[in-house]
Amino acid sequence: MLEKLEPIEDRYNEINQELLKVGDDYQRAADLSKERAELEPLVELAREYRNLLNRLEEAQALLDSEDPGMTELAEMEIADLEPKVEPLENRIKSM
């Protein structure tokens, strides 16, 4: 799913850069602002999704820790994060 979201995030970043350079072309600024507003909710969810997956990956890496306390924390973190992945994916897909 991240591969599908990357071009959308890239376009959002391009729009932000173009808005900085738009100058006195108010129509272009309006068009870019509209496109950015349409992409923004999806980009925010994509960033949240990426952050969630990164945190999950980090927690899974800690499972191999020799420290039982760290392993327990990792298990708790995984138990907290895993149920959030699918609903977030579904929200993204619905957009």
Side-chain angles (χ1 to χ4, degrees), residues 2 7 13 45 65 79 86:
L2 289 175
N13 292 329
L45 284 178
S65 175
E86 187 175 345

Side-chain angles (χ1 to χ4, degrees), residues 2 6-7 9 17 19 26 31 38 44-46 52 56 59 63 92-93 95:
L2 289 175
E6 193 171 320
E9 290 177 288
Q17 292 301 312
L19 281 169
Y26 299 112
D31 293 342
E38 292 171 355
E44 288 175 5
L45 284 178
L52 180 65
L56 191 56
L63 287 176
I92 292 169
K93 287 177 186 176
M95 297 182 87

Side-chain angles (χ1 to χ4, degrees):
M1 175 166 303
L2 289 175
E3 310 83 40
K4 292 180 182 179
L5 294 171
E6 193 171 320
I8 295 167
E9 290 177 288
D10 289 344
R11 178 62 186 148
Y12 181 81
N13 292 329
E14 285 175 22
I15 291 169
N16 285 332
Q17 292 301 312
E18 288 180 42
L19 281 169
L20 295 173
K21 302 174 190 173
V22 78
D24 291 337
D25 188 348
Y26 299 112
Q27 183 60 46
R28 179 75 177 137
D31 293 342
L32 289 170
S33 293
K34 182 180 177 186
E35 185 179 357
R36 180 180 145 193
E38 292 171 355
L39 293 177
E40 194 163 24
L42 182 56
V43 169
E44 288 175 5
L45 284 178
R47 290 176 179 167
E48 183 180 339
Y49 180 67
R50 180 174 281 108
N51 183 29
L52 180 65
L53 292 181
N54 287 338
R55 288 176 52 203
L56 191 56
E57 186 178 313
E58 289 170 2
Q60 289 170 336
L62 289 175
L63 287 176
D64 297 332
S65 175
E66 293 181 20
D67 180 356
M70 290 300 286
T71 302
E72 185 177 340
L73 283 174
E75 289 170 350
M76 289 171 43
E77 181 80 357
I78 290 168
D80 180 53
L81 296 175
E82 280 184 336
K84 296 176 181 178
V85 173
E86 187 175 345
L88 190 53
E89 285 176 347
N90 290 335
R91 285 178 59 199
I92 292 169
K93 287 177 186 176
S94 71
M95 297 182 87

